[in-house]
């Protein structure tokens, strides 16, 4: 929002004259229970030109002020009857005296009459009144905790998807190998090449290397020669191999069987006796296994003639079919895993929408600008002179008044400082201003607020609804609060928005302090931000 509406601060003043009148003092009751309210009433009759200041007090003598009621004004034959009421209480029994209260009438002090009151203790009947156990400490729901639960669920869902993909891949591995490798020798040769690519023994994993190496050989012998090689010991395997060789009339040399047995026994020593062969021995053992497998494959007699159509099958076509099968199965695994993740995410999102509402899911997943402001790190700082100490979600930036106000207005100002964050086009807008005038000026805050709102209307506000009430800071400095709604028309973008506003105004010795907040109507996060800001307001006393 353009800051021109601050111009009105320098055009407002009211004239106040004096008339002295005696203060009439009364109280609704002189005896009350502990914690109950005494209502002290101060009344004076003055002319229409007189200025009366009732003090803003936190305590009146030994009694605490729990409520400072608005001043009632009654017009009587050219004079005004002003009635000010204070709600007082005391939490210790006894007799007390409410001391005189100083009221300024045309800057001259007048004192109210002292009043004696009695505070009686409350009798507790432990015989007739039921006694109850102390309640357990109640827990407060934390939106951040709920968000972390949602995040953990999402991570768990993704983990389930990854597990499904891994399990399917592992489960189908054996079946894929059976489809890819048409013959035992093709499978054994491929597995030996893959074993070398792993470089297990180079990484110090000698035991794992020998275990896979001998498993390849045993698996080949079991599939090609059809003997129980995987469950047999080394001695049983060599004996079974010799017997099968004789039955199948395989032409095996003693050297082939001897080399195979030597490698199997070397593997037994590595696996069970923690033997560590040298590098050249590992290489030789691998070559011996490969040579033994090739020799065994060549020694197996051909029982079934190869069909003519298999001989004519192009090797390139076979490889293409194999790759196509692998690709289909991989895509199937990916699709199932992705579908699982999508289903679980959808189910989880639906659950939170039903239980928490769509806005909760939208704000926590997509994000919300004012929610991020509310939950971010806040800054407490002092702005202007007299200082306005305020807590905001972002640091307010100093604004150049020379670029905003005309020379005629600046000529009336002794000192002015402007600070702000955002604009009316943003989700949240807050400004703080302080001003001192060259000439003594008594500002009428109600008229100042009215002029402020007229300037906002000139900037594009339509259908403005305004309410006004008194406001008092924790330090006892009184001012007014204006609040309401309006429709903001953006002529450049041809858009409109319903905005809510709150404006605090305070005057001190001819100076003015103001806090203004604007945000979209119905934004609960912005409402919380506004409440937190207004509750943090502390004003420094003006000094000459």
């Amino acid at each position: 929002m353009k800051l021109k509406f601050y111009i009105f601060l320098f055009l407002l003043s009211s004239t106040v004259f004096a008339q002295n009148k005696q203060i009439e003092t009364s109280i609704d009751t002189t005896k009350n229970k502990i914690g109950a309210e005494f209502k002290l009433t101060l009344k004076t009759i003055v002319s229409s030109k007189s200025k009366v200041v009732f003090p803003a007090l936190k305590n009146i003598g030994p009694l605490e002020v729990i409520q400072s009621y608005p001043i009632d004004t009654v017009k009587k034959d050219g004079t005004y009857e002003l009635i000010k009421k204070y709600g007082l209480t005391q939490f210790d029994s006894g007799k007390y005296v409410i001391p005189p209260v100083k009221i300024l009438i045309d800057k001259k002090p007048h004192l109210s009459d002292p009043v004696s009151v009695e505070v009686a203790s409350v009798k507790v009947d432990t015989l007739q009144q039921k006694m109850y156990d102390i309640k357990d400490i109640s827990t407060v729901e934390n939106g951040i905790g709920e968000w972390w639960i949602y995040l953990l669920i999402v991570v768990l869902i993704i983990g389930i998807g990854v597990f499904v993909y891994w399990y399917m891949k592992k489960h189908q591995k054996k079946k894929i190998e059976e489809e890819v490798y048409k013959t035992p020798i093709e499978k054994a040769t491929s597995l030996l090449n893959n074993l070398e690519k792993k470089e297990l023994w180079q990484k110090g994993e000698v035991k794992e290397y020998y275990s896979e190496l001998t498993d390849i050989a045993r698996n080949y012998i079991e599939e090609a020669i059809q003997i129980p090689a995987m469950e047999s010991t080394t001695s049983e395997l060599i004996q079974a191999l010799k017997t099968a060789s004789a039955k199948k009339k395989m032409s095996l040399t003693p050297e082939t069987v001897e080399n195979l047995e030597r490698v199997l026994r070397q593997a037994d020593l590595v696996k069970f006796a923690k033997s560590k062969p040298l590098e050249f021995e590992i290489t030789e053992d691998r070559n011996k296994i490969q040579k033994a497998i090739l020799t065994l494959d060549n020694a197996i007699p051909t029982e079934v003639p190869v069909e003519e159509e298999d001989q004519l099958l192009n090797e390139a076509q076979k490889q293409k079919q194999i790759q196509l099968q692998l690709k289909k199965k991989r895509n199937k695994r990916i699709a199932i895993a992705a579908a699982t993740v999508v289903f679980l995410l959808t189910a989880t999102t639906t659950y939170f929408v039903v239980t928490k509402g769509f806005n909760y899911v939208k704000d926590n997943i997509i994000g919300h600008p004012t929610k991020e402001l509310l939950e971010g790190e806040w800054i407490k700082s002092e702005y202007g002179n007299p200082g306005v100490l305020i807590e905001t979600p972002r640091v307010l930036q100093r604004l150049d008044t020379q670029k905003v106000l005309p020379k005629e207005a600046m000529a009336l100002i002794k000192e002015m400082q402007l600070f702000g964050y955002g604009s009316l086009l943003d989700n949240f807008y807050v400004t703080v201003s302080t001003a001192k005038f060259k000439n003594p000026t008594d500002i009428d805050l109600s008229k100042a607020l009215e002029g402020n709102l007229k300037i906002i209307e000139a900037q594009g506000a339509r259908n403005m609804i305004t309410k006004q009430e008194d406001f008092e800071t924790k330090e006892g400095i009184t001012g007014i609060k204006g609040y309401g709604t309006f429709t903001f028309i953006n002529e450049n973008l041809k858009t409109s928005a319903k905005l809510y506003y709150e404006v605090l105004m305070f005057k001190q010795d001819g100076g003015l302090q103001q806090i203004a907040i604007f945000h979209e109507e119905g934004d609960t996060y912005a409402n919380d931000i506004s409440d937190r800001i207004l509750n943090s307001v502390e004003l420094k006393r003006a000094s000459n």
Side-chain angles (χ1 to χ4, degrees):
M1 184 186 69
K2 296 181 180 179
L3 299 173
K4 293 183 178 179
F5 70 84
Y6 284 99
I7 298 174
F8 82 94
L9 300 177
F10 317 111
L11 306 177
L12 302 171
S13 62
S14 62
T15 306
V16 181
F17 298 96
Q19 182 181 16
N20 295 329
K21 287 292 180 180
Q22 183 67 37
I23 303 299
E24 180 181 339
T25 307
S26 63
I27 194 165
D28 61 337
T29 180
T30 58
K31 187 174 183 179
N32 226 333
K33 295 180 181 180
I34 289 177
E37 182 185 30
F38 293 96
K39 190 171 291 184
L40 178 67
T41 303
L42 306 179
K43 184 188 300 184
T44 183
I45 299 176
V46 296
S47 69
S48 60
K49 298 181 180 180
S50 295
K51 179 181 178 181
V52 180
V53 178
F54 292 93
L57 303 171
K58 292 184 178 180
N59 296 87
I60 300 179
L63 277 72
E64 179 181 352
V65 178
I66 58 174
Q67 180 70 38
S68 179
Y69 294 91
I71 300 172
D72 291 332
T73 303
V74 180
K75 187 176 181 181
K76 293 183 178 180
D77 301 326
T79 62
Y80 288 93
E81 182 182 69
L82 304 180
I83 304 172
K84 174 66 175 180
K85 295 181 180 181
Y86 296 94
L88 311 177
T89 191
Q90 173 59 251
F91 295 95
D92 290 327
S93 60
K95 295 182 179 180
Y96 302 93
V97 176
I98 301 175
V101 178
K102 184 173 67 174
I103 296 93
L104 296 179
I105 302 178
D106 294 332
K107 298 183 179 181
K108 294 182 180 181
H110 295 262
L111 297 178
S112 63
D113 298 327
V115 180
S116 297
V117 295
E118 182 179 352
V119 179
S121 59
V122 179
K123 295 182 179 180
V124 179
D125 188 352
T126 59
L127 297 177
Q128 300 296 328
Q129 180 67 31
K130 292 183 178 181
M131 304 300 291
Y132 299 93
D133 292 335
I134 298 175
K135 291 185 178 180
D136 295 333
I137 298 175
S138 59
T139 57
V140 180
E141 293 186 0
N142 192 321
I144 297 177
E146 293 177 354
W147 163 244
W148 278 109
I149 292 174
Y150 188 82
L151 179 62
L152 289 175
I153 292 175
V154 172
V155 173
L156 180 61
I157 291 173
I158 295 174
I160 292 174
V162 173
F163 173 77
V164 170
Y165 177 82
W166 171 82
Y167 177 80
M168 294 183 61
K169 183 176 180 180
K170 182 178 181 180
H171 182 71
Q172 295 179 356
K173 183 177 180 181
K174 185 175 181 180
K175 184 177 179 180
I176 293 174
E177 289 176 348
E178 291 175 353
E179 294 178 356
V180 172
Y181 304 122
K182 301 301 181 182
T183 61
I185 185 63
E186 182 181 350
K187 178 180 178 180
T189 303
S190 178
L191 292 177
L192 284 173
N193 292 333
N194 291 337
L195 178 61
E196 290 306 309
K197 293 178 181 179
K198 293 181 181 179
E199 297 183 347
L200 293 177
W201 68 267
Q202 292 90 334
K203 299 176 182 177
E205 301 175 8
V206 178
K207 180 179 178 180
E208 290 77 4
Y209 177 81
Y210 270 93
S211 180
E212 288 195 30
L213 180 65
T214 54
D215 283 348
I216 293 171
R218 287 173 178 272
N219 191 62
Y220 168 77
I221 294 172
E222 187 170 292
E223 292 179 354
I225 306 178
Q226 299 178 353
I227 59 177
M230 298 300 292
E231 294 81 11
S232 301
T233 64
T234 299
S235 299
E236 292 173 344
L237 175 58
I238 296 301
Q239 184 60 44
L241 181 59
K242 292 178 179 179
T243 302
S245 176
K247 288 182 179 181
K248 294 178 179 291
K249 298 179 180 181
M250 298 171 59
S251 55
L252 290 178
T253 62
E255 181 184 2
T256 301
V257 178
E258 182 181 347
N259 287 338
L260 177 61
E261 183 179 7
R262 184 179 295 111
V263 177
L264 293 175
R265 294 196 180 281
Q266 175 80 300
D268 291 340
L269 292 174
V270 172
K271 290 188 287 184
F272 303 112
K274 297 183 179 180
S275 175
K276 293 185 179 180
L278 300 176
E279 292 184 4
F280 76 91
E281 291 178 320
I282 298 174
T283 303
E284 288 181 357
D285 289 342
R286 192 268 183 197
N287 293 335
K288 288 176 182 179
I289 286 292
Q290 185 174 15
K291 185 176 181 181
I293 291 174
L294 293 174
T295 302
L296 287 172
D297 190 68
N298 292 329
I300 299 174
T302 305
E303 297 179 0
V304 182
V306 181
E307 296 181 4
E308 182 178 356
E309 55 183 328
D310 288 339
Q311 293 177 348
L312 298 177
L313 185 63
N314 187 279
E315 183 66 23
Q317 292 179 342
K318 289 171 58 178
Q319 294 297 326
K320 186 176 181 179
Q321 291 176 356
I322 293 171
Q323 294 298 327
L324 183 61
Q325 291 178 359
L326 289 173
K327 185 176 181 179
K328 288 182 178 180
K329 292 184 179 296
R330 182 173 65 252
N331 292 340
K332 184 178 179 180
R333 291 196 305 271
I334 295 174
I336 294 176
T340 303
V341 172
V342 171
F343 171 76
L344 293 175
L345 283 173
T346 303
T348 303
T349 302
T350 303
Y351 168 77
F352 276 96
V353 169
V354 172
T355 58
K356 300 293 185 180
F358 176 75
N359 289 333
Y360 171 86
V361 176
K362 175 177 66 68
D363 293 345
N364 285 277
I365 294 179
I366 302 176
H368 195 288
T370 51
K371 181 177 184 293
E372 295 174 3
L373 284 176
L374 177 63
E375 297 177 351
E377 183 177 356
W378 284 54
I379 299 96
K380 190 169 186 179
S381 187
E382 181 179 330
Y383 302 94
N385 181 27
V388 177
L389 189 63
I390 191 172
E391 189 179 19
T392 56
R394 295 288 187 272
V395 176
L396 305 186
Q397 302 295 322
R398 182 181 292 272
L399 305 176
D400 188 0
T401 58
Q402 299 291 338
K403 297 181 179 180
V404 177
L405 303 178
K407 294 181 179 180
E408 294 80 2
M410 293 300 299
L412 304 175
I413 304 170
K414 178 181 179 182
E415 177 185 348
M416 181 176 183
Q417 300 182 40
L418 303 178
F419 303 86
Y421 167 77
S423 70
L424 280 179
L425 300 177
D426 296 328
N427 300 93
F428 195 84
Y429 180 34
V430 56
T431 62
V432 174
S433 69
T434 62
K436 291 184 178 180
F437 301 94
K438 293 180 179 179
N439 298 320
T441 304
D442 185 25
I443 299 174
D444 186 327
L445 292 181
S446 296
K447 292 182 179 179
L449 177 62
E450 181 181 350
N452 190 352
L453 299 181
K454 289 182 179 180
I455 297 299
I456 297 176
E457 288 181 341
Q459 302 301 318
R462 299 292 184 270
N463 304 322
M464 180 170 285
I465 298 175
T466 303
K467 297 181 180 180
Q468 180 181 325
E469 63 183 31
D470 293 337
F471 188 91
E472 183 175 346
T473 68
K474 292 178 290 186
E475 298 77 27
I477 300 177
T478 58
I480 64 169
K481 174 183 176 181
Y483 60 97
T485 61
F486 63 86
T487 301
F488 178 68
I489 308 297
N490 189 323
E491 298 292 347
N492 296 328
L493 300 179
K494 305 299 180 182
T495 59
S496 63
K498 190 70 173 293
L499 300 184
Y500 179 81
Y501 71 91
E502 292 178 280
V503 179
L504 297 185
M505 287 186 169
F506 305 90
K507 59 179 179 178
Q508 294 193 62
D509 295 339
L512 188 68
Q513 296 163 296
Q514 175 175 292
I515 300 99
I517 298 174
F518 302 85
H519 61 80
E520 184 177 355
E521 186 185 26
D523 187 340
T524 56
Y525 301 113
N527 288 336
D528 292 340
I529 295 174
S530 180
D531 290 342
R532 182 170 174 180
I533 290 176
L534 296 183
N535 290 333
S536 71
V537 173
E538 298 179 25
L539 302 180
K540 294 296 182 68
R541 294 283 183 178
S543 60
N544 296 325

